[in-house]
Amino acid sequence: MEPGEIDMVNRDPSSINSHVQVGFEDVIAEPDGVHSPQCVWKLAHTCFTCARDISYTLLALCYGVPYAFFWGCEFAYLSFLHIWVITPCISMYMVWLKSIKIIYGACVRTCCDPCFEACGRCFSDIRVTNA
């Protein structure tokens, strides 16, 4: 298949709708011991399949294109937000964090380093020997 061409056979190549089971056997089942007559079961299967197919086709014809347009606009807006708003805000935030990191590090080194050095010198002369 050429780039830009859509696959008309496998319409869910990423399996994003694999959880949608709409077959007769996935929806209607009779347990052992309770079975309708064979003619009823076959007619129910035919009615279910025809109603599902006709309903889906009518819904797709009526609403498929408008919803495709709507979702195309939604994802375009989402892309726009990420490209022009969210990513620049995150970049700006990271710049601020780097500045705060430098200031915070200087404060910690100024306040804590003398205490840690004093403790290190106090405990540096301790020798542990096994008796």
Side-chain angles (χ1 to χ4, degrees), residues 24-83:
F24 181 75
E25 299 81 11
D26 300 318
V27 178
I28 300 173
E30 292 181 329
D32 289 336
V34 182
H35 287 167
S36 57
Q38 218 174 24
C39 62
V40 171
W41 189 251
K42 286 181 181 180
L43 184 60
H45 179 272
T46 303
C47 288
F48 177 89
T49 305
C50 288
R52 180 200 60 201
D53 293 347
I54 291 170
S55 298
Y56 183 80
T57 301
L58 289 174
L59 287 168
L61 285 171
C62 292
Y63 299 108
V65 173
Y67 272 114
F69 180 80
F70 169 77
W71 285 115
C73 291
E74 281 293 312
F75 280 101
Y77 179 67
L78 181 65
S79 299
F80 174 83
L81 279 180
H82 272 273
I83 293 167

Short mmCIF file of all heavy atoms in Angstrom, two decimals, residues 24-83:
data_model
loop_
_atom_site.label_atom_id
_atom_site.label_comp_id
_atom_site.label_asym_id
_atom_site.label_seq_id
_atom_site.Cartn_x
_atom_site.Cartn_y
_atom_site.Cartn_z
N PHE A 24 -23.60 -11.42 17.01
CA PHE A 24 -24.75 -12.05 17.68
C PHE A 24 -24.30 -12.92 18.84
O PHE A 24 -24.85 -12.85 19.93
CB PHE A 24 -25.53 -12.88 16.64
CG PHE A 24 -26.76 -13.55 17.20
CD1 PHE A 24 -27.90 -12.82 17.47
CD2 PHE A 24 -26.76 -14.92 17.44
CE1 PHE A 24 -29.05 -13.45 17.96
CE2 PHE A 24 -27.89 -15.55 17.94
CZ PHE A 24 -29.04 -14.81 18.20
N GLU A 25 -23.25 -13.72 18.61
CA GLU A 25 -22.75 -14.64 19.64
C GLU A 25 -22.12 -13.89 20.81
O GLU A 25 -22.01 -14.42 21.91
CB GLU A 25 -21.72 -15.61 19.06
CG GLU A 25 -22.27 -16.51 17.96
CD GLU A 25 -22.32 -15.81 16.60
OE1 GLU A 25 -21.76 -14.71 16.44
OE2 GLU A 25 -22.96 -16.38 15.69
N ASP A 26 -21.66 -12.65 20.59
CA ASP A 26 -21.05 -11.86 21.65
C ASP A 26 -22.09 -11.16 22.51
O ASP A 26 -21.77 -10.69 23.61
CB ASP A 26 -20.11 -10.79 21.05
CG ASP A 26 -19.00 -11.41 20.24
OD1 ASP A 26 -18.43 -12.43 20.68
OD2 ASP A 26 -18.71 -10.89 19.15
N VAL A 27 -23.33 -11.07 22.01
CA VAL A 27 -24.36 -10.31 22.71
C VAL A 27 -25.46 -11.21 23.26
O VAL A 27 -25.92 -11.04 24.39
CB VAL A 27 -24.98 -9.25 21.75
CG1 VAL A 27 -26.09 -8.48 22.44
CG2 VAL A 27 -23.90 -8.31 21.25
N ILE A 28 -25.88 -12.19 22.49
CA ILE A 28 -27.01 -13.05 22.88
C ILE A 28 -26.53 -14.49 22.97
O ILE A 28 -25.90 -15.00 22.04
CB ILE A 28 -28.18 -12.93 21.87
CG1 ILE A 28 -28.65 -11.47 21.83
CG2 ILE A 28 -29.31 -13.87 22.25
CD1 ILE A 28 -29.68 -11.20 20.76
N ALA A 29 -26.85 -15.14 24.07
CA ALA A 29 -26.45 -16.54 24.25
C ALA A 29 -27.48 -17.24 25.13
O ALA A 29 -28.00 -16.66 26.07
CB ALA A 29 -25.07 -16.62 24.89
N GLU A 30 -27.76 -18.47 24.80
CA GLU A 30 -28.68 -19.28 25.60
C GLU A 30 -27.87 -20.33 26.36
O GLU A 30 -27.06 -21.04 25.76
CB GLU A 30 -29.71 -19.98 24.71
CG GLU A 30 -30.69 -19.05 24.06
CD GLU A 30 -31.71 -19.77 23.19
OE1 GLU A 30 -31.38 -20.83 22.62
OE2 GLU A 30 -32.83 -19.28 23.09
N PRO A 31 -28.07 -20.42 27.65
CA PRO A 31 -27.31 -21.40 28.43
C PRO A 31 -27.81 -22.83 28.16
O PRO A 31 -28.91 -23.03 27.62
CB PRO A 31 -27.59 -21.00 29.88
CG PRO A 31 -28.90 -20.30 29.83
CD PRO A 31 -28.96 -19.63 28.49
N ASP A 32 -27.01 -23.80 28.53
CA ASP A 32 -27.43 -25.19 28.38
C ASP A 32 -28.71 -25.43 29.17
O ASP A 32 -28.90 -24.92 30.26
CB ASP A 32 -26.34 -26.14 28.89
CG ASP A 32 -25.14 -26.16 27.97
OD1 ASP A 32 -25.31 -25.83 26.78
OD2 ASP A 32 -24.03 -26.48 28.44
N GLY A 33 -29.59 -26.19 28.60
CA GLY A 33 -30.85 -26.52 29.26
C GLY A 33 -31.99 -25.60 28.90
O GLY A 33 -33.14 -25.92 29.14
N VAL A 34 -31.69 -24.41 28.36
CA VAL A 34 -32.73 -23.47 27.95
C VAL A 34 -32.43 -23.03 26.53
O VAL A 34 -31.61 -22.15 26.30
CB VAL A 34 -32.76 -22.22 28.89
CG1 VAL A 34 -33.88 -21.29 28.47
CG2 VAL A 34 -32.89 -22.63 30.33
N HIS A 35 -33.06 -23.68 25.59
CA HIS A 35 -32.86 -23.35 24.19
C HIS A 35 -34.20 -23.09 23.52
O HIS A 35 -35.16 -23.82 23.74
CB HIS A 35 -32.16 -24.50 23.44
CG HIS A 35 -30.71 -24.63 23.78
ND1 HIS A 35 -29.97 -25.72 23.43
CD2 HIS A 35 -29.86 -23.81 24.43
CE1 HIS A 35 -28.73 -25.57 23.86
NE2 HIS A 35 -28.65 -24.42 24.46
N SER A 36 -34.23 -22.03 22.73
CA SER A 36 -35.43 -21.76 21.95
C SER A 36 -35.41 -22.70 20.73
O SER A 36 -34.38 -23.28 20.40
CB SER A 36 -35.43 -20.29 21.51
OG SER A 36 -34.27 -20.00 20.78
N PRO A 37 -36.54 -22.83 20.06
CA PRO A 37 -36.56 -23.67 18.85
C PRO A 37 -35.53 -23.16 17.83
O PRO A 37 -35.23 -21.98 17.78
CB PRO A 37 -37.99 -23.53 18.33
CG PRO A 37 -38.79 -23.11 19.51
CD PRO A 37 -37.87 -22.32 20.39
N GLN A 38 -35.03 -24.08 17.03
CA GLN A 38 -33.99 -23.76 16.06
C GLN A 38 -34.42 -22.65 15.09
O GLN A 38 -33.63 -21.76 14.76
CB GLN A 38 -33.63 -25.02 15.29
CG GLN A 38 -32.16 -25.14 15.00
CD GLN A 38 -31.83 -26.47 14.36
OE1 GLN A 38 -32.68 -27.12 13.75
NE2 GLN A 38 -30.58 -26.87 14.50
N CYS A 39 -35.67 -22.69 14.68
CA CYS A 39 -36.14 -21.68 13.73
C CYS A 39 -36.13 -20.28 14.37
O CYS A 39 -35.81 -19.28 13.72
CB CYS A 39 -37.53 -22.04 13.19
SG CYS A 39 -38.81 -22.12 14.43
N VAL A 40 -36.47 -20.20 15.66
CA VAL A 40 -36.46 -18.91 16.37
C VAL A 40 -35.03 -18.40 16.50
O VAL A 40 -34.75 -17.21 16.28
CB VAL A 40 -37.11 -19.06 17.77
CG1 VAL A 40 -36.91 -17.80 18.59
CG2 VAL A 40 -38.59 -19.39 17.63
N TRP A 41 -34.10 -19.30 16.83
CA TRP A 41 -32.70 -18.92 17.01
C TRP A 41 -32.10 -18.39 15.69
O TRP A 41 -31.42 -17.37 15.67
CB TRP A 41 -31.91 -20.11 17.53
CG TRP A 41 -30.50 -19.76 17.94
CD1 TRP A 41 -29.36 -20.12 17.30
CD2 TRP A 41 -30.10 -18.98 19.06
NE1 TRP A 41 -28.26 -19.61 17.95
CE2 TRP A 41 -28.70 -18.89 19.06
CE3 TRP A 41 -30.80 -18.31 20.07
CZ2 TRP A 41 -27.98 -18.21 20.01
CZ3 TRP A 41 -30.07 -17.63 21.03
CH2 TRP A 41 -28.69 -17.58 20.99
N LYS A 42 -32.41 -19.07 14.58
CA LYS A 42 -31.91 -18.64 13.28
C LYS A 42 -32.53 -17.31 12.87
O LYS A 42 -31.85 -16.43 12.36
CB LYS A 42 -32.20 -19.70 12.21
CG LYS A 42 -31.31 -20.92 12.33
CD LYS A 42 -31.63 -21.92 11.23
CE LYS A 42 -30.75 -23.15 11.35
NZ LYS A 42 -31.05 -24.14 10.30
N LEU A 43 -33.85 -17.16 13.10
CA LEU A 43 -34.53 -15.91 12.76
C LEU A 43 -34.01 -14.76 13.63
O LEU A 43 -33.81 -13.64 13.14
CB LEU A 43 -36.04 -16.07 12.91
CG LEU A 43 -36.89 -14.88 12.49
CD1 LEU A 43 -36.65 -14.55 11.01
CD2 LEU A 43 -38.35 -15.15 12.75
N ALA A 44 -33.77 -15.03 14.91
CA ALA A 44 -33.23 -14.00 15.81
C ALA A 44 -31.84 -13.56 15.34
O ALA A 44 -31.51 -12.36 15.32
CB ALA A 44 -33.16 -14.53 17.24
N HIS A 45 -31.04 -14.53 14.91
CA HIS A 45 -29.70 -14.21 14.39
C HIS A 45 -29.80 -13.34 13.14
O HIS A 45 -29.10 -12.33 13.00
CB HIS A 45 -28.92 -15.50 14.07
CG HIS A 45 -27.56 -15.27 13.52
ND1 HIS A 45 -27.33 -15.12 12.18
CD2 HIS A 45 -26.37 -15.15 14.13
CE1 HIS A 45 -26.05 -14.93 11.98
NE2 HIS A 45 -25.44 -14.95 13.17
N THR A 46 -30.69 -13.69 12.23
CA THR A 46 -30.87 -12.93 11.00
C THR A 46 -31.38 -11.52 11.29
O THR A 46 -30.86 -10.54 10.75
CB THR A 46 -31.85 -13.66 10.06
OG1 THR A 46 -31.33 -14.98 9.81
CG2 THR A 46 -32.01 -12.93 8.75
N CYS A 47 -32.39 -11.41 12.18
CA CYS A 47 -32.94 -10.10 12.54
C CYS A 47 -31.88 -9.22 13.21
O CYS A 47 -31.74 -8.04 12.89
CB CYS A 47 -34.14 -10.26 13.46
SG CYS A 47 -35.60 -10.90 12.62
N PHE A 48 -31.15 -9.80 14.14
CA PHE A 48 -30.11 -9.05 14.85
C PHE A 48 -29.06 -8.53 13.86
O PHE A 48 -28.71 -7.35 13.87
CB PHE A 48 -29.43 -9.95 15.89
CG PHE A 48 -28.29 -9.29 16.61
CD1 PHE A 48 -28.51 -8.57 17.76
CD2 PHE A 48 -26.99 -9.39 16.13
CE1 PHE A 48 -27.46 -7.95 18.42
CE2 PHE A 48 -25.94 -8.79 16.78
CZ PHE A 48 -26.17 -8.06 17.93
N THR A 49 -28.57 -9.40 12.99
CA THR A 49 -27.52 -9.03 12.04
C THR A 49 -28.01 -7.96 11.06
O THR A 49 -27.32 -6.97 10.81
CB THR A 49 -27.04 -10.28 11.28
OG1 THR A 49 -26.62 -11.26 12.23
CG2 THR A 49 -25.87 -9.96 10.38
N CYS A 50 -29.22 -8.14 10.53
CA CYS A 50 -29.76 -7.15 9.59
C CYS A 50 -29.99 -5.81 10.28
O CYS A 50 -29.63 -4.76 9.74
CB CYS A 50 -31.06 -7.65 8.97
SG CYS A 50 -30.81 -8.99 7.78
N ALA A 51 -30.59 -5.83 11.46
CA ALA A 51 -30.87 -4.58 12.18
C ALA A 51 -29.56 -3.87 12.52
O ALA A 51 -29.45 -2.64 12.38
CB ALA A 51 -31.67 -4.88 13.45
N ARG A 52 -28.55 -4.62 12.98
CA ARG A 52 -27.26 -4.03 13.31
C ARG A 52 -26.62 -3.40 12.08
O ARG A 52 -26.17 -2.25 12.12
CB ARG A 52 -26.33 -5.09 13.89
CG ARG A 52 -24.95 -4.56 14.27
CD ARG A 52 -23.92 -5.65 14.37
NE ARG A 52 -23.80 -6.34 13.09
CZ ARG A 52 -23.31 -7.55 12.95
NH1 ARG A 52 -22.93 -8.24 14.00
NH2 ARG A 52 -23.22 -8.11 11.76
N ASP A 53 -26.61 -4.13 10.98
CA ASP A 53 -25.95 -3.65 9.77
C ASP A 53 -26.67 -2.43 9.18
O ASP A 53 -26.02 -1.44 8.81
CB ASP A 53 -25.85 -4.76 8.73
CG ASP A 53 -24.92 -5.88 9.16
OD1 ASP A 53 -24.16 -5.70 10.15
OD2 ASP A 53 -24.95 -6.95 8.53
N ILE A 54 -27.99 -2.49 9.10
CA ILE A 54 -28.75 -1.37 8.54
C ILE A 54 -28.64 -0.14 9.44
O ILE A 54 -28.42 0.97 8.97
CB ILE A 54 -30.22 -1.78 8.31
CG1 ILE A 54 -30.31 -2.80 7.17
CG2 ILE A 54 -31.09 -0.56 8.01
CD1 ILE A 54 -31.67 -3.44 7.01
N SER A 55 -28.78 -0.35 10.75
CA SER A 55 -28.69 0.78 11.70
C SER A 55 -27.31 1.42 11.64
O SER A 55 -27.19 2.66 11.61
CB SER A 55 -28.97 0.31 13.12
OG SER A 55 -30.28 -0.18 13.23
N TYR A 56 -26.27 0.60 11.65
CA TYR A 56 -24.91 1.15 11.60
C TYR A 56 -24.67 1.92 10.30
O TYR A 56 -24.10 3.00 10.31
CB TYR A 56 -23.86 0.05 11.76
CG TYR A 56 -22.46 0.62 11.80
CD1 TYR A 56 -21.94 1.18 12.96
CD2 TYR A 56 -21.67 0.63 10.65
CE1 TYR A 56 -20.69 1.73 12.99
CE2 TYR A 56 -20.40 1.18 10.67
CZ TYR A 56 -19.91 1.72 11.84
OH TYR A 56 -18.67 2.26 11.86
N THR A 57 -25.15 1.36 9.19
CA THR A 57 -24.98 2.03 7.90
C THR A 57 -25.71 3.38 7.88
O THR A 57 -25.14 4.39 7.45
CB THR A 57 -25.51 1.13 6.76
OG1 THR A 57 -24.79 -0.10 6.78
CG2 THR A 57 -25.33 1.80 5.41
N LEU A 58 -26.95 3.40 8.38
CA LEU A 58 -27.70 4.67 8.42
C LEU A 58 -27.04 5.68 9.35
O LEU A 58 -26.91 6.87 9.01
CB LEU A 58 -29.14 4.41 8.85
CG LEU A 58 -30.02 3.69 7.84
CD1 LEU A 58 -31.39 3.37 8.43
CD2 LEU A 58 -30.17 4.53 6.57
N LEU A 59 -26.59 5.23 10.52
CA LEU A 59 -25.92 6.14 11.45
C LEU A 59 -24.60 6.66 10.85
O LEU A 59 -24.29 7.85 10.99
CB LEU A 59 -25.65 5.44 12.78
CG LEU A 59 -26.88 5.22 13.66
CD1 LEU A 59 -26.54 4.28 14.82
CD2 LEU A 59 -27.41 6.54 14.18
N ALA A 60 -23.85 5.77 10.20
CA ALA A 60 -22.59 6.19 9.58
C ALA A 60 -22.85 7.19 8.46
O ALA A 60 -22.11 8.18 8.31
CB ALA A 60 -21.83 4.97 9.07
N LEU A 61 -23.90 6.95 7.66
CA LEU A 61 -24.24 7.88 6.57
C LEU A 61 -24.66 9.24 7.11
O LEU A 61 -24.27 10.28 6.59
CB LEU A 61 -25.35 7.30 5.69
CG LEU A 61 -24.94 6.19 4.73
CD1 LEU A 61 -26.18 5.56 4.10
CD2 LEU A 61 -24.00 6.72 3.67
N CYS A 62 -25.46 9.24 8.17
CA CYS A 62 -25.98 10.50 8.71
C CYS A 62 -24.95 11.26 9.55
O CYS A 62 -24.87 12.48 9.47
CB CYS A 62 -27.22 10.24 9.57
SG CYS A 62 -28.63 9.65 8.63
N TYR A 63 -24.21 10.54 10.37
CA TYR A 63 -23.36 11.20 11.35
C TYR A 63 -21.86 10.99 11.15
O TYR A 63 -21.05 11.65 11.81
CB TYR A 63 -23.73 10.71 12.76
CG TYR A 63 -25.14 11.04 13.13
CD1 TYR A 63 -26.10 10.02 13.21
CD2 TYR A 63 -25.54 12.34 13.37
CE1 TYR A 63 -27.42 10.31 13.54
CE2 TYR A 63 -26.85 12.64 13.70
CZ TYR A 63 -27.78 11.62 13.79
OH TYR A 63 -29.07 11.90 14.11
N GLY A 64 -21.46 10.07 10.30
CA GLY A 64 -20.04 9.76 10.13
C GLY A 64 -19.22 10.95 9.67
O GLY A 64 -18.19 11.28 10.26
N VAL A 65 -19.67 11.63 8.61
CA VAL A 65 -18.91 12.76 8.09
C VAL A 65 -18.90 13.94 9.07
O VAL A 65 -17.84 14.50 9.34
CB VAL A 65 -19.44 13.17 6.69
CG1 VAL A 65 -18.78 14.45 6.21
CG2 VAL A 65 -19.21 12.03 5.70
N PRO A 66 -20.05 14.32 9.65
CA PRO A 66 -19.98 15.43 10.63
C PRO A 66 -19.10 15.11 11.84
O PRO A 66 -18.35 15.96 12.31
CB PRO A 66 -21.45 15.62 11.05
CG PRO A 66 -22.25 15.07 9.94
CD PRO A 66 -21.44 13.95 9.37
N TYR A 67 -19.18 13.87 12.34
CA TYR A 67 -18.33 13.52 13.48
C TYR A 67 -16.87 13.46 13.07
O TYR A 67 -15.99 13.86 13.85
CB TYR A 67 -18.76 12.19 14.11
CG TYR A 67 -19.80 12.37 15.17
CD1 TYR A 67 -21.08 11.88 15.01
CD2 TYR A 67 -19.51 13.05 16.35
CE1 TYR A 67 -22.05 12.04 15.98
CE2 TYR A 67 -20.46 13.23 17.32
CZ TYR A 67 -21.73 12.72 17.14
OH TYR A 67 -22.67 12.90 18.12
N ALA A 68 -16.56 12.99 11.88
CA ALA A 68 -15.18 12.98 11.40
C ALA A 68 -14.66 14.42 11.32
O ALA A 68 -13.53 14.71 11.72
CB ALA A 68 -15.08 12.29 10.05
N PHE A 69 -15.50 15.33 10.83
CA PHE A 69 -15.13 16.74 10.77
C PHE A 69 -14.90 17.30 12.17
O PHE A 69 -13.90 17.97 12.44
CB PHE A 69 -16.23 17.54 10.04
CG PHE A 69 -15.93 19.00 9.93
CD1 PHE A 69 -15.06 19.47 8.96
CD2 PHE A 69 -16.51 19.90 10.81
CE1 PHE A 69 -14.78 20.83 8.85
CE2 PHE A 69 -16.23 21.25 10.72
CZ PHE A 69 -15.36 21.72 9.74
N PHE A 70 -15.82 16.99 13.09
CA PHE A 70 -15.71 17.46 14.47
C PHE A 70 -14.42 16.97 15.11
O PHE A 70 -13.66 17.75 15.70
CB PHE A 70 -16.92 16.99 15.28
CG PHE A 70 -16.77 17.20 16.76
CD1 PHE A 70 -16.92 18.45 17.32
CD2 PHE A 70 -16.45 16.13 17.58
CE1 PHE A 70 -16.77 18.65 18.68
CE2 PHE A 70 -16.29 16.31 18.95
CZ PHE A 70 -16.45 17.58 19.50
N TRP A 71 -14.14 15.66 15.01
CA TRP A 71 -12.94 15.10 15.64
C TRP A 71 -11.68 15.59 14.96
O TRP A 71 -10.65 15.78 15.62
CB TRP A 71 -13.01 13.57 15.69
CG TRP A 71 -13.97 13.12 16.75
CD1 TRP A 71 -15.14 12.46 16.56
CD2 TRP A 71 -13.86 13.34 18.16
NE1 TRP A 71 -15.77 12.25 17.77
CE2 TRP A 71 -15.00 12.79 18.76
CE3 TRP A 71 -12.93 13.96 18.97
CZ2 TRP A 71 -15.21 12.82 20.14
CZ3 TRP A 71 -13.14 14.00 20.35
CH2 TRP A 71 -14.27 13.44 20.91
N GLY A 72 -11.74 15.82 13.66
CA GLY A 72 -10.59 16.41 12.98
C GLY A 72 -10.28 17.79 13.54
O GLY A 72 -9.12 18.13 13.80
N CYS A 73 -11.33 18.59 13.75
CA CYS A 73 -11.16 19.93 14.34
C CYS A 73 -10.64 19.83 15.78
O CYS A 73 -9.76 20.59 16.19
CB CYS A 73 -12.47 20.72 14.31
SG CYS A 73 -12.99 21.18 12.65
N GLU A 74 -11.19 18.89 16.55
CA GLU A 74 -10.75 18.72 17.94
C GLU A 74 -9.26 18.37 18.01
O GLU A 74 -8.52 18.94 18.81
CB GLU A 74 -11.55 17.61 18.63
CG GLU A 74 -12.92 18.05 19.09
CD GLU A 74 -12.86 19.06 20.21
OE1 GLU A 74 -12.12 18.87 21.19
OE2 GLU A 74 -13.57 20.08 20.10
N PHE A 75 -8.82 17.42 17.19
CA PHE A 75 -7.41 17.02 17.24
C PHE A 75 -6.51 18.10 16.65
O PHE A 75 -5.36 18.24 17.07
CB PHE A 75 -7.21 15.66 16.57
CG PHE A 75 -7.59 14.54 17.49
CD1 PHE A 75 -8.81 13.90 17.35
CD2 PHE A 75 -6.75 14.14 18.51
CE1 PHE A 75 -9.18 12.87 18.21
CE2 PHE A 75 -7.10 13.12 19.37
CZ PHE A 75 -8.32 12.48 19.23
N ALA A 76 -7.03 18.88 15.69
CA ALA A 76 -6.26 20.02 15.19
C ALA A 76 -6.08 21.04 16.31
O ALA A 76 -4.99 21.59 16.51
CB ALA A 76 -6.96 20.65 13.99
N TYR A 77 -7.14 21.31 17.07
CA TYR A 77 -7.08 22.24 18.20
C TYR A 77 -6.12 21.72 19.27
O TYR A 77 -5.31 22.48 19.81
CB TYR A 77 -8.49 22.45 18.77
CG TYR A 77 -8.53 23.37 19.95
CD1 TYR A 77 -8.23 24.72 19.81
CD2 TYR A 77 -8.85 22.90 21.21
CE1 TYR A 77 -8.26 25.58 20.89
CE2 TYR A 77 -8.88 23.75 22.31
CZ TYR A 77 -8.59 25.08 22.15
OH TYR A 77 -8.61 25.92 23.22
N LEU A 78 -6.20 20.42 19.56
CA LEU A 78 -5.30 19.82 20.54
C LEU A 78 -3.84 19.96 20.09
O LEU A 78 -2.96 20.32 20.88
CB LEU A 78 -5.66 18.36 20.75
CG LEU A 78 -4.83 17.58 21.76
CD1 LEU A 78 -5.05 18.14 23.16
CD2 LEU A 78 -5.21 16.11 21.71
N SER A 79 -3.59 19.70 18.81
CA SER A 79 -2.23 19.85 18.28
C SER A 79 -1.79 21.30 18.37
O SER A 79 -0.65 21.59 18.77
CB SER A 79 -2.18 19.39 16.82
OG SER A 79 -2.53 18.04 16.72
N PHE A 80 -2.67 22.21 18.01
CA PHE A 80 -2.37 23.64 18.10
C PHE A 80 -2.00 24.02 19.53
O PHE A 80 -1.00 24.72 19.75
CB PHE A 80 -3.56 24.47 17.60
CG PHE A 80 -3.39 25.94 17.81
CD1 PHE A 80 -2.68 26.69 16.88
CD2 PHE A 80 -3.93 26.56 18.91
CE1 PHE A 80 -2.51 28.05 17.07
CE2 PHE A 80 -3.76 27.92 19.11
CZ PHE A 80 -3.05 28.68 18.18
N LEU A 81 -2.80 23.57 20.48
CA LEU A 81 -2.51 23.89 21.88
C LEU A 81 -1.15 23.37 22.32
O LEU A 81 -0.38 24.07 22.97
CB LEU A 81 -3.59 23.32 22.80
CG LEU A 81 -4.87 24.10 22.92
CD1 LEU A 81 -5.84 23.40 23.86
CD2 LEU A 81 -4.60 25.50 23.43
N HIS A 82 -0.85 22.14 21.95
CA HIS A 82 0.44 21.56 22.35
C HIS A 82 1.60 22.30 21.70
O HIS A 82 2.62 22.55 22.34
CB HIS A 82 0.49 20.07 22.02
CG HIS A 82 -0.05 19.24 23.12
ND1 HIS A 82 0.72 18.81 24.17
CD2 HIS A 82 -1.29 18.78 23.37
CE1 HIS A 82 -0.03 18.11 25.01
NE2 HIS A 82 -1.25 18.09 24.54
N ILE A 83 1.46 22.64 20.41
CA ILE A 83 2.56 23.28 19.69
C ILE A 83 2.75 24.72 20.12
O ILE A 83 3.87 25.17 20.35
CB ILE A 83 2.32 23.18 18.17
CG1 ILE A 83 2.42 21.72 17.73
CG2 ILE A 83 3.30 24.05 17.39
CD1 ILE A 83 1.90 21.46 16.34
#
